[in-house]
Amino acid sequence: MIFHLILLHVLIHFVGFTEGQPDFLGHYCLPDGNFTENSSFKANLDSLLSTLSPNIQENGFYNASQGQNTDQANAIALCRGDVQLDTCHSCVTNATQKLVQDCPTQVSAIGWYDFCMVRYSNSSIVGRVDTRFSLQGRNPTNVSDVDRFNGVLQSLFDNLRGRAAFEGPLRKYATGNTSLTNFQYLYGLVQCTPDLSADQCSNCLIETAQKIINFVNGAEGGRILGASCILRYEVNPFFNQTIQLDVDQPSDGDDNSTTIIVAIVVPVVALILISVSVFLLMRKTRKKKIVEQVETIEDISTVESLQYDFNTISIATDNFDDSNKLGQGGFGAVYKGCLSNGQEIAVKRLAKDSGQGDLEFKNEVLLVAKLQHRNLVRLLGFCLEGTERLLIYEYMPNASLDHFLFDKVKRSQLDWDKRYKIIKGVARGLLYLHEDSRLRIIHRDLKASNVLLDEEMNPKIADFGMARLFVFDETQGNTSRIVGTYGYMAPEYALHGLFSPKSDAFSYGVLVLEIVSGQRNNLFRNGDHLGDLLSHVWKNWRDGTSANVIDPILMSNAASIHELVRCIHIGLLCVQESDVARPTMESVLLMLNSFSLTLPVPSEPAFYMRSGIESEVSLFSEDPVSDSKLINSKLLP
Ligand SMILES: *[C@@H]1O[C@H](CO)[C@@H](O)[C@H](O)[C@H]1NC(C)=O
Ligand SMILES: *[C@@H]1O[C@H](CO)[C@@H](O)[C@H](O)[C@H]1NC(C)=O
Ligand SMILES: *[C@@H]1O[C@H](CO)[C@@H](O)[C@H](O)[C@H]1NC(C)=O
Ligand SMILES: *[C@@H]1O[C@H](CO)[C@@H](O)[C@H](O)[C@H]1NC(C)=O
Ligand SMILES: *[C@@H]1O[C@H](CO)[C@@H](O)[C@H](O)[C@H]1NC(C)=O
Ligand SMILES: *[C@@H]1O[C@H](CO)[C@@H](O)[C@H](O)[C@H]1NC(C)=O
Ligand SMILES: *[C@@H]1O[C@H](CO)[C@@H](O)[C@H](O)[C@H]1NC(C)=O
Ligand SMILES: *[C@@H]1O[C@H](CO)[C@@H](O)[C@H](O)[C@H]1NC(C)=O
């Protein structure tokens, strides 16, 4: 048995590493400008680059800067997580030389080998995600069942992403395998530069995984090498599986034991090596040719076209005059403005110190601006000046849904057809954010005041992607800073900071119930009691008196009652305590569009409230099962 295991190790060593001399895969000389031969920048760069290789740390990473201000040179080097330190040194040395040769005058450049990446720039690199440049490679052999394959690939990358981003701060690297068929495995590798936060790493990998799946389109192997993260997968093991990643700094003890094992095993294994060589020979003959393609650097000009001049915006908003203030949100005030060409805009002036570097902010704006859907408010651009950060959106003349829904007079403008259109439109917008966009955004603060209305009362979701544009101290999927609004927040988010598409589904459910009832969830009146909408709806649903919940002005149109009741049902499914039981936005849309679809029976919603326990007690005290309910319900402090 032990013998068998050792054999396996040796086999893996040979199978995994027979690629010979790794080739230089590619590089970019970035269009950030040129230096002159005798400049002090050039002197700084040269001296900086000579320090890279010798200083590589145990985790295969090194970053450094040299010089001041405009003469400052910045560089990083990163080796693939499974590469031995001596190979790493040599790889970085070679990459540095090659890069300087190929980009003789440029102030910024990036180059990749199989085993390492080197990057330098005249602006700061560390701690920023940059997904503008990448090399993409694809194996020419295609799999037969692309859909299934993509599913397997996606889940492999999801799994690796979680491990790379959140395990061990020193090395953001993970490899793994998953079975593709009974006989075939898929091997994956992901890595981020370790200077990134867990959240940044995770976002980089999400975006790159999406890119690779679109790019490879069913190829048996592929990779994307980016400046901040890399991904690769093959049907053969291409990395060193024996590396111990749970120990960030491999101890001498470990090394000794491996050498000893190998030393003992070598004579025993000699015979087997012959068969291994045969195997390798066969493998060599069908050695994969990775076709490297170069992605165009379109994004740089896009950034410029999205950037507005601070003066322009200041003039457009009358120097942020209070009379132009449309509202104040958690991230800053919003002003109405009018550009000199007559275009109306809404300007969000972010609270000072969003905690992000300029370049990173630009990158995030670029990503969020690419999210375009008819049910999302369009981000037109941004402005950066000193500490000022502005986001410029299209202007929505009809303001937000709450202005109509909760207004005694204006609510009559929202008949059921309009409300139903809003319910569906918001679901479509959310579905796009969750599933269809490249970024998989969780909104985290969906509520009536974040649903804006255009001239035709079409809904457009606002404030999405704010978590990307405003850095919090958090990790993906688990945040210490809650950005939502009490009453709309799923219990797991409000209590533990856990967010997911299912926590958005909860907020959506609350919104649907508000739209049907015309009542605010958190200021809900039931007779003399100040209670919460969810328990009111739940009680009536349970007692078969759903009609009590419906906004009286909607009751005149009897034909729509079945739609209304179905929406209550869907709303209740979305606000269930268990996030697993809540439907995805895709299912919600199916339910809304297909009346023949039988809906599951909802379980009791999550009850919790922010305001005084007294009012909650008085509400529950009418109910014979109040005590157990009160215990079950999660009260916020
Ligand atoms: C980098 O160099 C280019 C060209 O010399 C210059 O335009 C740019 O402002 C520099 N960036 C920084 C951060 O110094
Ligand atoms: C930098 O030099 C390259 C050739 O070495 C040239 O093509 C490019 O236009 C130059 N860029 C600038 C901004 O001068
Ligand atoms: C750079 O310096 C060297 C010697 O100091 C000189 O020969 C050369 O002409 C200079 N080159 C430029 C472009 O100034
Ligand atoms: C690497 O970057 C970090 C963060 O900017 C910095 O604190 C550290 O000093 C850098 N390392 C070196 C060797 O310059
Ligand atoms: C670096 O270059 C040398 C000489 O060309 C070569 O022998 C060595 O294998 C290279 N190292 C790596 C890691 O590519
Ligand atoms: C594999 O798929 C790619 C893109 O879908 C196509 O261009 C290529 O010709 C296919 N290769 C083979 C061998 O079928
Ligand atoms: C898959 O990975 C596990 C470690 O996660 C390893 O023990 C196993 O040998 C691998 N399987 C194959 C077929 O490579
Ligand atoms: C794989 O990693 C182990 C542990 O770090 C090391 O002992 C071994 O030499 C590596 N194998 C190769 C081929 O680099």
Side-chain angles (χ1 to χ4, degrees), residues 138 140-142 216-217:
R138 170 182 205 290
T141 313
N142 295 332
V216 297
N217 194 14

Side-chain angles (χ1 to χ4, degrees), residues 164-209:
F166 299 115
E167 277 173 21
L170 289 182
R171 210 193 272 269
K172 290 197 160 47
Y173 169 79
T175 57
N177 61 61
T178 183
S179 68
L180 193 55
T181 65
N182 285 341
F183 313 103
Q184 213 177 12
Y185 286 86
L186 199 58
Y187 298 84
L189 175 154
V190 306
Q191 185 171 20
C192 295
T193 60
D195 55 312
L196 301 184
S197 71
D199 201 21
Q200 289 173 319
C201 172
S202 179
N203 285 338
C204 185
L205 292 173
I206 289 175
E207 195 188 326
T208 313

Side-chain angles (χ1 to χ4, degrees), residues 71 102 357 430 492 565 573 580:
D71 290 333
D102 291 351
L430 271 187
E492 73 275 10
V565 172
L573 287 172
V580 180

